[in-house]
Amino acid sequence: MCLSAVELAMEAAATGPADVAAVIQPASNASAEEPIANKQQEAEVDFAKISIKEAFTLLNATAAGLSDAEATERLAEFGPNKLPETATNPVLRFLGYLWNPLSWAMEVAAILALILLDFADFALILALLLLNATISFVEESNADKAIKALAGALAPKCRALRGGKVRVMDAVHIVPGDVLIVRLGDIVPADIKILGEEEEHGEEAAPMQIDQAALTGESLPVKKFTGDVAYSGSTVKQGERHALVYATGVNTFFGRAAALISSTNNVANIQKVMTKIGAMCLITIGSWVVLELGVQFGGYMHSCKLGDGLCPTLT
């Protein structure tokens, strides 16, 4: 279910995975010493098309990895390598399912039943309202849990070169310019460019096999040669290479797709249809009520009192 949502988000962006451009933007305002973001004139860079040397130059990095001081600076600049979490009030979400034309009609009917002391109808209408809202709430909650599970599948740990030494560290702390070691079974923790001798791009090179079905829907692992890119959330099925991190967090291919999903306010077609039906019901019911009240009270001078059966016009 969440895989389809990611695919829809990618289609909405009208962008294929081979053409995705990583936007290197800092999390805070750049200072005079910053070597990266504003030096690119805020241009979008397609790391799949530039050489490894150009990627290192652009990210002001080396094959030995970043120093601890550089990594700390960039972590403060770009933010942690994770997707932002948005918390919503479940009570408000539940009440939101009671705010639509069909619910309004049922709520008015429930209020009238309560006024006329028709408690059986009031209880029935209230039960139907709560049942409908509960079903919708549970369905959306399950979808949210699936998306969170997909995000939770991102690599919690990774191997990175810091000052030329291999360290096992939390993936949330890696930054653009880090050099990682990715191998069989690893989940790629960020968008990376695979390193190696670029002349190995011929038939004699041993390519990596990357499973990116969770991102692109491709059923088989994709061969990745030196200089190719792999995306956060994909899984290494074959090979071991050093790789240069060029995008983390919301700037990754996965992060951009997730941002598209969370930012869209598209209403499902069934909801549009139900809203139209509800609006037509409200107009029809309202017109009929006005006509009926006008005839009964204006034409026939009927009276109406509180109590069961004491207001024949409304009952």
Side-chain angles (χ1 to χ4, degrees):
M1 182 175 180
C2 49
L3 300 187
S4 299
V6 173
E7 291 171 2
L8 288 174
M10 292 187 293
E11 290 176 6
T15 304
D19 298 322
V20 171
V23 183
I24 305 298
Q25 295 179 339
S28 58
N29 292 332
S31 65
E33 298 178 357
E34 289 171 350
I36 308 177
N38 55 354
K39 283 58 168 186
Q40 300 173 41
Q41 291 78 38
E42 298 181 352
E44 291 190 355
V45 178
D46 189 349
F47 278 83
K49 296 181 179 179
I50 65 176
S51 67
I52 292 177
K53 182 177 180 181
E54 289 173 327
F56 272 117
T57 301
L58 196 62
L59 294 168
N60 194 30
T62 65
L66 301 174
S67 66
D68 289 334
E70 289 174 324
T72 301
E73 286 183 14
R74 298 192 186 193
L75 185 61
E77 178 182 336
F78 293 96
N81 178 37
K82 64 179 183 179
L83 300 181
E85 298 178 357
T86 56
T88 57
N89 190 320
V91 176
L92 294 179
R93 283 177 55 195
F94 181 82
L95 293 178
Y97 294 110
L98 300 175
W99 191 255
N100 56 73
L102 281 177
S103 295
W104 296 340
M106 296 180 68
E107 288 159 7
V108 170
I111 293 172
L112 289 176
L114 187 61
I115 292 174
L116 297 173
L117 305 181
D118 189 352
F119 298 113
D121 284 351
F122 171 76
L124 178 60
I125 295 171
L126 184 61
L128 290 174
L129 272 171
L130 294 178
L131 178 62
N132 179 64
T134 301
I135 292 174
S136 300
F137 179 78
V138 170
E139 287 180 349
E140 184 175 339
S141 297
N142 289 338
D144 289 343
K145 289 178 182 178
I147 294 176
K148 288 180 180 178
L150 180 61
L154 299 180
K157 297 284 185 179
C158 64
R159 288 173 293 277
L161 289 177
R162 288 285 171 89
K165 297 181 180 180
V166 179
R167 296 186 187 177
V168 177
M169 55 188 298
D170 292 333
V172 71
H173 294 145
I174 63 176
V175 295
D178 263 325
V179 175
L180 307 181
I181 301 174
V182 290
R183 61 188 183 188
L184 175 64
D186 286 352
I187 298 175
V188 179
D191 285 0
I192 58 175
K193 190 171 183 68
I194 298 171
L195 303 180
E197 297 296 330
E198 292 194 70
E199 57 266 19
E200 289 181 359
H201 195 37
E203 295 181 359
E204 72 278 4
M208 299 187 73
Q209 296 275 357
I210 304 292
D211 181 2
Q212 50 190 31
L215 302 176
T216 63
E218 294 167 289
S219 58
L220 297 175
V222 180
K223 291 183 179 180
K224 297 289 184 178
F225 294 88
T226 298
D228 289 341
V229 298
Y231 303 114
S232 173
S234 54
T235 305
V236 180
K237 294 296 185 180
Q238 175 182 302
E240 178 176 346
R241 292 289 187 92
H242 286 201
L244 175 66
V245 176
Y246 67 84
T248 59
V250 294
N251 288 326
T252 62
F253 180 77
F254 179 84
R256 290 157 69 103
L260 279 174
I261 294 173
S262 61
S263 64
T264 54
N265 295 316
N266 293 334
V267 180
N269 188 56
I270 184 63
Q271 291 179 323
K272 294 179 181 178
V273 172
M274 294 302 293
T275 299
K276 291 180 180 179
I277 293 175
M280 292 177 62
C281 288
L282 284 180
I283 294 173
T284 303
I285 293 171
S287 301
W288 179 255
V289 167
V290 171
L291 179 61
E292 180 72 13
L293 293 178
V295 171
Q296 295 295 330
F297 291 111
Y300 295 104
M301 302 300 177
H302 284 179
S303 61
C304 185
K305 298 179 181 179
L306 294 179
D308 189 13
L310 297 181
C311 188
T313 299
L314 297 180
T315 58

